[in-house]
Structures are given as C-alpha cells and as structure tokens.
Amino acid sequence: MPPIQVRNVSKYYGSVKALHNVDLDINDGEYVVMLGPSGCGKTTLLKSIAGIIDLSSGSISISGQEVTGLPPEDRGIGFVFQNYALFTHMTALENASYGLMARGETRERAKRIGRDMLRLVHLAERERAMPKELSGGMQQRLAIARAMATGSKLLLLDEPMNALDAHIRTELRVELRRMVKQLGLTAIHVTHDQEEAMALADKIIIMRKGKVLQVGTPKEVYANPSSPFVASFLGEANFVRVTFDNGLATLLGQNVKTKLEGPYIACIRPENLRLDHKGAKIKVTNLRPFGPFFKYDVDYNGLQLSVRTTHDHGDISHLTYDPAEVLYFKEPEEGLEKSLEAV
Ligand code: ADP
Ligand code: MG
C-alpha cells in the first residue's frame, strides 16, 4: 500500500493559503504524527492525502501510483474523524462491519472481520450496544475498529482523542499504536498535543502556517529543533539573547565558548537549568509541584526563566547549567516573538 509521496502541494481556500509547497515522504508501516497549532493546515493535508479535497497544485502518490484527482474510495484509506461520526442507529458490530458490506463482502464475512476488529479494540463484549450506550473512549475505539475493518493498510486519524478525558487518552494511545503495529498498518495521525505526538510517533512532522518545518523521530526533533518555534512547541524552552565575540559570550552568568560569531538566541530547556548554591544569582518568583516534578519561575536580572526539578529546593538563590545542553539559533527573520506565534 504505502509509501506516500507528497510533492509541492499547495491548497488555497479563496485567498487563504492553507498549505504552501508541502513535500513529505511516509514509509510503509510508519506511525507518523502531524503536529502543529490549530489552523496550521494539518486537517487540510490529511484530507489531501485522503482525496477528500482537491489540491490547488502539486501531486500525491501512494505506492508509486499517482492518486491526485482520484476519489477517496479508490485510495484504500481508513479515515477516523475528529468527531467519531459513528452510525447512531447501528449496533457496534454493524458499525464495525458496515464498510465491508458496502464494499460487497458477504454478510457472514463482514461480521467475522467486524468481530475480529471489535476484539482488537476490546469491545467484543459490547457488539450489540448502540453507540450512545458506550462511553466516549469506547465510541472512539469503535470508530478506530470501523476504519481498520475496511482492510485498508493506511489509517488516517484526525485528532482522534480530542473528545476524551486525559487519562483515557493516555491509555488509548498505547492501544492505538499497538494495534497499528500488530496489523502492519501505516498511520498518519493529526494532533496539536505534543505529548501525544511524542508517545505515538515513529516520525513527527511539525507544521506551522501551512508549511512543514521539520520532520524527524521524537528524539531528534526534541534534541535538535530546527527553529525556536519547533523548540517551544515540543516542550517548554527558555530563550536568552547572546552575542559571541571571537566565540566567547557570557550567558546566565557563565562563560560559554562556541564556534559562533555575532548575535544568537540561546535556548535552554527548563530541565537543563539547575538550582544551585553557586552560579547566576536568581530570585524564585513561583514554585508549583507538578506530580513527579517541580516547576519554578525564577527571575534573573529581570529575565523570567522556567526551571524544572525533580525535588523541592526550598529557598534557593542561584542557578547553573551545562553549556553542552544549550542550543543556539539565528534570530528568525520575523523576530523571535513573532516566530513563536501559532499563526
Ligand atoms: P488544522 O487542522 O491544523 O487546525 P486546517 O487544515 O483545518 O488546520 O485549516 C488550515 C487553514 O485553512 C485555516 O486558516 C483554516 O481557517 C482554513 N480553512 C480550512 N478549511 C477551510 C474551508 N473549508 N474554507 C475556508 N478556509 C478553510
Ligand atoms: Mg484540524
């Protein structure tokens, strides 16, 4: 079925440019997560791959076959929408087997496969239930079962966890990845939740304003973000302006040496700042326990920084860091503050 190639795809809605020259490669069997703020074009890109909307320009191919212009039913895709879109007048089993019957499978075979899928999403016992008798998490699992029952090797999921409580989301994403891997599917999953992306993805695609900013494994994009926006979208980041002179600069009270010259933006994750009894003099302005860790807001010479620690440091007055854990970025053309905005 896959791989999928997206080449130079743009999409306008009137004067709104929802996608700008998007290029993307998705390999067979990959769990791909498209991550980005609301309005960045994630749904538009997913619908372009599904064939639900027409492209303004560019092309898409699936398994080496150009599908640009082909209707969704000829692309062999299972789609799970943001709101489950279950058939309310059908039982769980009828929902799960509907797509197969619509494709001309016999009733018996459709039911058998439908039951297999219900078992996979742990709903076998509820096959006679109507959607409204199921919890939100169950309805979501049913929507996934229905999409997988079509037998398509490519599963497209548009913010499938949105309507669910936090702890059910966490549970369901583990299940979802397991099922996709077990069935050997390729999944493209859209979310604006960075934690969900990290937990699910083999490959994360980070988008902003209709463009793909970076593609990589969760580890790569977190450790080596290509811009301040990516760094801050994937987790908290402290940004500090610094100017190198012959590769030397002072950053948060420490001397740092690099191969850089001129003005840069230093980026340090809250977990890489250490509260200490030496180093830069700071003032704690806020301390909040966050379950397994603590979050401090501190002030360093009028600069607000966020620090994350594993234990309570009480009344602490200094801060240090390891220079090896600092990332440096060139000032974005539009300016740092503007470059961090979602739209
Ligand atoms: P996301 O899924 O990342 O939130 P979308 O792909 O839904 O983003 O939207 C991208 C941009 O295109 C947004 O500016 C949105 O308002 C616009 N858009 C989406 N669908 C339509 C439409 N049918 N008509 C006009 N504008 C649209
Ligand atoms: Mg969307």
Side-chain angles (χ1 to χ4, degrees):
M1 178 68 201
I4 298 163
Q5 294 177 318
V6 174
R7 288 293 173 267
N8 214 11
V9 163
S10 295
K11 172 68 185 177
Y12 299 83
Y13 293 108
S15 62
V16 176
K17 201 168 186 183
L19 295 175
H20 305 240
N21 305 96
V22 170
D23 283 310
L24 203 58
D25 285 280
I26 292 169
N27 300 318
D28 197 8
E30 261 182 336
Y31 202 116
V32 174
V33 176
M34 287 182 193
L35 176 69
S38 182
C40 73
K42 305 180 297 295
T43 295
T44 302
L45 184 50
L46 206 63
K47 285 183 171 170
S48 302
I49 294 170
I52 297 168
I53 54 170
D54 293 328
L55 310 179
S56 301
S57 61
S59 66
I60 295 177
S61 68
I62 302 180
S63 288
Q65 191 208 348
E66 165 108 26
V67 296
T68 321
L70 273 192
E73 56 272 24
D74 295 339
R75 297 187 183 200
I77 282 168
F79 205 123
V80 181
F81 292 93
Q82 197 161 329
N83 48 358
Y84 332 116
L86 293 168
F87 302 118
T88 53
H89 60 287
M90 293 184 187
T91 64
L93 180 58
E94 286 163 352
N95 264 284
S97 39
Y98 175 83
L100 292 152
M101 301 229 282
R103 262 199 200 181
E105 291 287 355
T106 64
R107 199 181 178 76
E108 279 318 298
R109 195 174 140 74
K111 275 197 168 171
R112 188 161 53 73
I113 297 171
R115 282 202 174 97
D116 284 346
M117 292 303 142
L118 289 182
R119 201 170 304 121
L120 205 58
V121 298
H122 304 301
L123 282 176
E125 264 88 79
R126 306 303 306 274
E127 68 166 61
R128 286 166 203 275
M130 303 303 279
K132 67 173 186 316
E133 298 167 323
L134 300 173
S135 70
M138 289 173 173
Q139 291 183 38
Q140 190 61 74
R141 288 187 343 241
L142 178 54
I144 293 164
R146 191 181 54 175
M148 292 191 308
T150 59
S152 67
K153 285 288 185 192
L154 177 58
L155 188 61
L156 304 184
L157 304 123
D158 192 356
E159 311 233 12
M161 317 276 198
N162 263 17
L164 306 178
D165 294 343
H167 91 273
I168 299 175
R169 291 169 80 121
T170 315
E171 232 170 70
L172 189 55
R173 68 193 181 206
V174 176
E175 286 291 298
L176 191 53
R177 195 180 147 88
R178 179 188 60 78
M179 289 187 291
V180 164
K181 292 294 172 186
Q182 190 176 330
L183 295 174
L185 308 181
T186 302
I188 311 179
H189 178 129
V190 160
T191 184
H192 60 267
D193 179 337
Q194 56 98 4
E195 199 183 292
E196 187 170 303
M198 292 280 177
L200 277 167
D202 294 316
K203 184 152 106 184
I204 297 185
I205 295 164
I206 299 152
M207 297 180 64
R208 176 178 181 249
K209 288 202 202 177
K211 289 186 181 160
V212 171
L213 298 185
Q214 192 171 2
V215 178
T217 66
K219 211 171 142 186
E220 281 163 3
V221 291
Y222 190 78
N224 280 309
S226 61
S227 64
F229 178 84
V230 173
S232 70
F233 202 78
L234 289 175
E236 244 188 297
N238 295 294
F239 294 110
V240 185
R241 286 198 156 79
V242 56
T243 300
F244 290 97
D245 184 9
N246 281 323
L248 295 173
T250 307
L251 174 63
L252 301 180
Q254 275 179 235
N255 293 327
V256 287
K257 185 165 171 37
T258 66
K259 289 183 175 138
L260 306 170
E261 195 58 30
Y264 277 85
I265 292 161
C267 168
I268 314 181
R269 298 269 184 212
E271 66 271 25
N272 291 334
L273 288 175
R274 286 179 207 115
L275 297 173
D276 214 326
H277 296 287
K278 58 177 170 52
K281 181 101 174 76
I282 49 122
K283 193 170 153 33
V284 174
T285 54
N286 193 18
L287 163 59
R288 282 161 293 158
F290 259 81
F293 62 90
F294 293 84
K295 257 181 97 165
Y296 285 77
D297 295 331
V298 307
D299 179 297
Y300 169 75
N301 287 343
L303 191 67
Q304 307 307 311
L305 301 168
S306 176
V307 184
R308 185 174 148 157
T309 64
T310 49
H311 62 281
D312 187 345
H313 287 259
D315 195 19
I316 191 95
S317 56
H318 290 78
L319 171 149
T320 56
Y321 62 90
D322 177 353
E325 289 172 333
V326 182
L327 300 166
Y328 296 101
F329 297 106
K330 281 268 185 212
E331 173 95 25
E333 267 172 38
E334 54 188 325
L336 176 63
E337 281 69 29
K338 195 109 190 64
S339 84
L340 298 177
E341 289 171 8
V343 287

